Amino acid sequence: MSAIILGPGDALLIVDLQNDFLPGGALGVPRGDEVIAPINQLIALYRARSLPVYASRDWHPHDHCSFAAQGGPWPPHCVADTAGAAFTSELALAPDTIVVSKAVTAPVDAYSAFNGTGLAETLRERGVRRVAVCGLATDYCVLNTALDGIEHGFEVLLVPEAMRAVDVKPGDGDRAVTRMLSRGALPVRLSEGKLVADLSLGAQP
Ligand code: VGL
Ligand code: ZN
């Protein structure tokens, strides 16, 4: 079993754990609620080592271009300052969580937490070199965030048990995971409260 030793340079990045993306929300991800428990474990793991926790959120104006009324693909969701846009209260976010708001203006959509947010610079200033990515949804914002993270030169740990997919087309989530791994993300899983490499997901020997 290959344990991942967390230390300086590590950070946790939780993608879009907002009420609208949970079952019953405006754009509920099927079984999205199942990620809350593992993400809370991840938060505890990183906080125990005083490592930074980042949480991105979709933070749209009411007339955002991704909404159907504007010709976009989605129902209205995550409108800034509404209950749907709030992080789920079941998430054990500490007051020092660094919140990253994205797609905050009407004409621009952003699936990636790196897109238009200054996140790469913020991470570098903090000395972060490796981010563990988890959250919703695997096939949209998690996918684009992880790929951008790699593009920006960060090592990316992927926590599949702590993410769920929209699966507009069946298999979208699995294909997204395959894409992230093929670009160099390392799959990890929680084992007895620690992170270990997930060799079952095609990591190279
Ligand atoms: C997302 C659809 C629309 C996501 C955001 O967070 O994955 N999906 N906006
Ligand atoms: Zn959105």
Side-chain angles (χ1 to χ4, degrees):
M1 183 137 68
S2 4
I4 306 286
I5 314 291
L6 296 175
D10 275 298
L12 177 63
L13 176 50
I14 305 164
V15 175
D16 298 7
L17 247 281
Q18 297 166 269
N19 291 322
D20 272 345
F21 291 129
L22 289 162
L27 190 38
V29 177
R31 297 165 56 211
D33 51 325
E34 293 176 7
V35 307
I36 296 169
I39 292 179
N40 281 339
Q41 281 189 56
L42 290 167
I43 293 171
L45 194 57
Y46 279 73
R47 280 183 58 73
R49 287 160 182 74
S50 302
L51 296 170
V53 176
Y54 295 77
S56 72
R57 62 182 183 185
D58 233 16
W59 200 247
H60 298 321
H62 67 91
D63 57 350
H64 190 251
C65 63
S66 75
F67 298 171
Q70 273 65 239
W74 307 112
H77 62 277
C78 298
V79 173
D81 293 312
T82 62
F87 293 121
T88 171
S89 58
E90 289 169 61
L91 205 60
L93 290 177
D96 62 357
T97 304
I98 300 138
V99 175
V100 180
S101 301
K102 63 185 171 63
V104 300
T105 62
V108 182
D109 202 9
Y111 288 148
S112 164
F114 288 92
N115 190 349
T117 60
L119 176 58
E121 294 72 20
T122 306
L123 289 169
R124 279 194 206 103
E125 277 164 21
R126 185 81 180 241
V128 174
R129 292 183 306 276
R130 181 168 69 176
V131 286
V133 178
C134 60
L136 302 171
T138 310
D139 37 0
Y140 294 94
C141 289
V142 171
L143 170 66
N144 286 278
T145 297
L147 294 184
D148 262 4
I150 293 167
E151 202 66 36
H152 281 286
F154 296 97
E155 236 182 289
V156 169
L157 303 178
L158 209 62
V159 200
E161 72 196 276
M163 53 184 69
R164 290 293 182 277
V166 181
D167 277 338
V168 169
K169 273 197 308 239
D172 278 354
D174 290 343
R175 281 186 290 274
V177 170
T178 302
R179 276 182 68 190
M180 293 184 272
L181 298 183
S182 72
R183 294 276 286 277
L186 177 73
V188 298
R189 62 185 170 80
L190 282 156
S191 172
E192 292 164 8
K194 298 205 172 88
L195 278 186
V196 297
D198 190 348
L199 302 172
S200 73
L201 269 172
Q204 300 305 308

